[in-house]
Every structure is written in structure tokens, then in C-alpha cells.
Amino acid sequence: MTHPAYPISNSIMSNIDRLRSESSTFLHYTSLEAFYNIMDTGRLRFTSAKSTNDPSEFLFGKEIVDRALEEIIPELNARDQQVVSECKTDLPNRDFRAFVFCMSEALENEEAVGELSQWRLYGGDGRGIALVFDVSDSIRRSLMETQGSIPRKVIYGEEEGLALVKDEIKAYFAGIGQLPKSELDQLYRENMTNAGYLGNRLFWLPSVIKHKAYSHEREVRLIRGDIGERAGNPLIFTERGSIRRPAIELPMCLAYNQPPHDFNYSTICKIIIGPSGDQSAIEDSIKFYLEARNYRIPVLKSNIPYRAI
């Protein structure tokens, strides 16, 4: 079966209530090298969902989607059972190309100091930084959604993941059942089957389902799939472990490609320096670095009592 181009974007992904974050503050932990690159380019890097720090997470999410498709069949009528069966057969043939930018929901006081396990895992073992994103007002939230995507929470664990996928399948059939016959006929004339459209609704879900062991991360993701020169998001490659991993970069500010003093309006509201022994030297570097580029972003130092070995 062939599929028309169907990029992952705000327009194709349903606004699943349980994936809507109630938080308005998110933290992105990263290395100093990555931080300097962000400030130099004014762009955030979205990495392939198959190239994240946990190489098994996409496989876990995919297994959950497959199980949900299998388990829901007895709950459906004969027509919908056939659609699900076709979708289950077809999904492995799809070329899954989601790119994600990962953040964490900030708990009380974390927007000033960060969280220790996150510093250890993603923030250079305390020697990196955390970008603090603020989407508390409508302008900044709109900026994040149009420049990146809608922030979506990651779902943790088998039960929650299965419930998410099954709810989406049921919602799909409820929606398609309300379409007039003329619209359904048009869909089929476009060489897309009912099962294909169900697949469009499901194939990105593995990128927001993780094992419950990671629930402490309270992860929120921006997800994009519109890649390539025609989409304006050409692929770049970063090498890690001798593997050149694909990524795309998207602007973090409204005035990208303008003089530095013009691209200060961003969803980044502050920068936290990790709790390493080099904290003072890093603070000195970052403050001068931002000043030289006319960024006006507050810089804080995490006061978590931790010193990496």
C-alpha cells in the first residue's frame, strides 16, 4: 500500500487531552557544547525518535501500539475489526520519521535549581545547563506551537500506553462514522484506505509512550516530521558512538536570521547552570557569551549540593 506524504504536525495529530500538559514551565537539560550551538544559531535541535538516549524506548512504544491493535479487536464490530487488522499489517511498512525535542515539566522551585537526576543524565553530569521555557502567556505558547509544536506529555507504563492507543482507535471510528458518504468516497479516490487513515492517527504514538521506570522525568515533547528541503527543515547529522544520527533544527525565536539584538523574544525565559565544581567559571563564560550576542536572558546557578567525580 502506498501512502501520500503525511507530515507529523499540529494539523494531523489530534489534541489528546491526556497529552496536554498543565504546566507552563519546562526545562531542557543539555551539554555546554549544545548550549553554545543553540545560542549561536538561534535554533533548537530535534533528534530522531529512534536516536534518543534510551535506544529501546521507541521499540517499547511500538510494542504497546501493536498490543492495543490486537486487544481491541474483540470490542469492535466486524467492519471495524477488518480495518484494524489491515492497519496492524500495514504499520510495520511505514517509514517512521518523527523528530523530537525533549523537555521536563518543572515542579515547584525546579525552575530555579533543576532536578538532580536530570543533571546527571542529560545535563553533562552537572556540568551542563538547563534552558527554562515559559509558555505562561498566549503569545509564548503560540510561539512554541508554531515554531516547534504543541507540547505533549509522555505517557509512562503499559496500562497507560494501551489506554491511550485504544482511546485513539475508538475516537477514530467515532469520527469517521460521522463523515458523509461523499467525503468518504473522496478519501478512497485519493488512494488511501480506511486502515491507512487509522495508521496516520497511530503511527506517531510510539514517540510519546515510555517505560514506567522513566516516569520521574515528567517528559514533555515537541514532535515534528516535516523534514527535507521542500519543508524548509533540511536534515543535519551529529555523530555519537560512530553513528551519524539524523536531526533537524528549528528557530527558537520570532526573529531568526535577524541581528542578535532582535531575536530576544523567545520562549526561553532563563538559563540554569548545573551544580558542578566548575560552576563559577561556566557562569562567567555564559554571561559574557550572552552579552556579546545581545541576549538578555537571566542566568541562575543551581544550588543543589552535588559535585560530579
Side-chain angles (χ1 to χ4, degrees), residues 256-284:
Y256 173 66
N257 275 342
Q258 298 299 316
H261 62 274
D262 287 335
F263 59 71
N264 283 294
Y265 196 79
S266 165
T267 51
I268 298 175
C269 67
K270 65 185 73 168
I271 295 165
I272 307 174
I273 300 170
S276 75
D278 295 325
Q279 195 177 59
S280 294
I282 293 171
E283 178 189 28
D284 189 56

Side-chain angles (χ1 to χ4, degrees), residues 70-308:
E70 189 70 37
E71 292 180 9
I72 202 171
I73 288 178
E75 304 176 29
L76 304 174
N77 60 42
R79 181 198 63 189
D80 293 348
Q81 286 181 358
Q82 180 63 30
V83 172
V84 168
S85 296
E86 291 177 9
C87 181
K88 190 174 188 302
T89 300
D90 179 56
L91 273 179
N93 299 322
R94 286 176 174 263
D95 187 10
F96 180 78
R97 294 188 173 189
F99 289 77
V100 299
F101 181 80
C102 304
M103 307 177 292
S104 295
E105 291 180 315
L107 296 181
E108 186 178 359
N109 296 326
E110 278 190 7
E111 60 186 84
V113 300
E115 199 273 327
L116 182 55
S117 67
Q118 298 288 76
W119 285 121
R120 287 171 168 165
L121 288 171
Y122 307 114
D125 198 19
R127 198 173 181 274
I129 62 95
L131 299 175
V132 183
F133 292 84
D134 173 23
V135 292
S136 57
D137 65 69
S138 59
I139 296 177
R140 283 189 170 86
R141 179 167 288 275
S142 177
L143 175 59
M144 176 170 281
E145 293 182 3
T146 55
Q147 302 288 70
S149 82
I150 295 171
R152 291 177 169 89
K153 294 196 301 183
V154 168
I155 294 294
Y156 298 98
E158 294 182 14
E159 290 186 9
E160 280 292 305
L162 287 168
L164 171 71
V165 179
K166 290 178 182 179
D167 285 350
E168 277 299 280
I169 295 172
K170 293 175 182 177
Y172 172 77
F173 286 123
I176 204 78
Q178 296 175 10
L179 289 179
K181 184 177 184 303
S182 60
E183 290 190 28
L184 284 175
D185 290 343
Q186 178 63 32
L187 297 183
Y188 297 140
R189 282 196 295 271
E190 292 173 356
N191 196 30
M192 176 63 86
T193 66
N194 207 343
Y197 276 106
L198 175 60
N200 282 339
R201 186 146 184 163
L202 302 181
F203 84 116
W204 64 279
L205 290 180
S207 62
V208 291
I209 301 173
K210 294 180 69 170
H211 193 279
K212 64 181 179 181
Y214 294 89
S215 60
H216 67 281
E217 294 182 351
R218 305 181 307 280
E219 189 172 346
V220 173
R221 288 183 164 183
L222 308 181
I223 308 172
R224 294 292 289 260
D226 43 345
I227 61 173
E229 296 289 347
R230 290 182 62 185
N233 299 320
L235 283 171
I236 63 171
F237 294 87
T238 58
E239 188 165 323
R240 191 169 77 236
S242 301
I243 301 174
R244 294 188 176 182
R245 301 174 189 268
I248 60 175
E249 291 184 339
L250 297 173
M252 68 176 187
C253 315
L254 280 174
Y256 173 66
N257 275 342
Q258 298 299 316
H261 62 274
D262 287 335
F263 59 71
N264 283 294
Y265 196 79
S266 165
T267 51
I268 298 175
C269 67
K270 65 185 73 168
I271 295 165
I272 307 174
I273 300 170
S276 75
D278 295 325
Q279 195 177 59
S280 294
I282 293 171
E283 178 189 28
D284 189 56
S285 169
I286 287 178
K287 285 187 173 181
F288 277 107
Y289 196 82
L290 295 175
E291 181 180 333
R293 286 155 180 77
N294 293 309
Y295 280 110
R296 294 180 291 275
I297 305 174
V299 178
L300 308 178
K301 292 191 297 183
S302 174
N303 60 6
I304 294 176
Y306 174 71
R307 294 293 181 267

